[in-house]
Amino acid sequence: MLFIILCLPCSAEDILYLDKERDEKASAILDEYYLKRLNHMKPEEVYKEFNYTKSDVRAVFYDLNSDGIDEVIGYINSSAFQCVEGYQLFILKNEPEGYMNIVNVNFYPNLGVKIANSKTDNFFDIGIYFTKINLVEKPALRISKDYDEYAEIKYNKKYRQY
């Protein structure tokens, strides 16, 4: 007699690879959000000035606080949005007055955005990799309920080598 035991985790953490994943509607929302920030310029001027096209805007929907309303998580794949510590990560929350960016941090899209099982202020904690030298993981990018305060970032001394 053959028995097969299948062990499934009680809960799983998601990893979003934004360099590979792209939702057309979420990407359009991020693009519109950024264009509104530069409302003194025409969209064509913004695309030329910041060296990107609509297809360079990469975003997905994810409900980070289990309220039934998806946040938009993404980045713009352009050198204008890249620095030594990676690309600017946008997490947009849908508010009555429109979408609002609730985080200010850089990340590497190809290394993923880890959505943890743990929560802070009803938001899932987020882990990102922030340097290519030692690939130190920030285990929890905690999103505060008070959006005027940028994300509180906890550092972990654990190093990962690839």
Side-chain angles (χ1 to χ4, degrees), residues 41-59:
M41 296 172 72
K42 294 179 182 173
E44 313 80 58
E45 295 172 333
V46 173
Y47 296 138
K48 184 177 179 185
E49 178 77 21
F50 294 97
N51 192 30
Y52 78 96
T53 65
K54 286 181 181 275
S55 64
D56 294 321
V57 181
R58 307 193 61 81

Side-chain angles (χ1 to χ4, degrees), residues 63-69 71 93 119 122-124 147:
D63 188 357
L64 287 172
N65 58 356
S66 303
D67 65 353
I69 301 170
E71 280 70 42
K93 180 160 177 48
K119 286 186 171 185
N122 293 323
F123 280 89
F124 287 109
Y147 304 132

Side-chain angles (χ1 to χ4, degrees), residues 34-110:
Y34 194 74
L35 290 173
K36 280 184 180 176
R37 290 183 62 207
L38 299 172
N39 63 2
H40 63 282
M41 296 172 72
K42 294 179 182 173
E44 313 80 58
E45 295 172 333
V46 173
Y47 296 138
K48 184 177 179 185
E49 178 77 21
F50 294 97
N51 192 30
Y52 78 96
T53 65
K54 286 181 181 275
S55 64
D56 294 321
V57 181
R58 307 193 61 81
V60 296
F61 288 111
Y62 199 100
D63 188 357
L64 287 172
N65 58 356
S66 303
D67 65 353
I69 301 170
D70 287 332
E71 280 70 42
V72 173
I73 303 174
Y75 76 107
I76 300 174
N77 188 13
S78 165
S79 58
F81 296 90
Q82 184 182 20
C83 69
V84 174
E85 291 189 345
Y87 289 87
Q88 180 180 355
L89 177 66
F90 292 89
I91 298 179
L92 305 181
K93 180 160 177 48
N94 195 355
E95 297 286 350
E97 60 277 0
Y99 280 92
M100 179 177 186
N101 191 24
I102 59 173
V103 68
N104 183 24
V105 69
N106 293 330
F107 81 119
Y108 288 106
N110 61 317

Side-chain angles (χ1 to χ4, degrees), residues 114 129 133-137 158-162:
K114 182 168 83 176
Y129 294 92
I133 298 167
N134 291 316
L135 292 176
V136 178
E137 183 180 357
K158 181 171 105 178
Y159 290 85
R160 302 185 113 168
Q161 295 181 358
Y162 291 89

Side-chain angles (χ1 to χ4, degrees), residues 1 14 18 36 41 53 57 81 86 108 113 117 146 150 152:
M1 190 177 258
D14 287 329
L18 297 173
K36 280 184 180 176
M41 296 172 72
T53 65
V57 181
F81 296 90
Y108 288 106
V113 175
N117 293 322
D146 182 1
Y150 282 116
E152 168 194 347

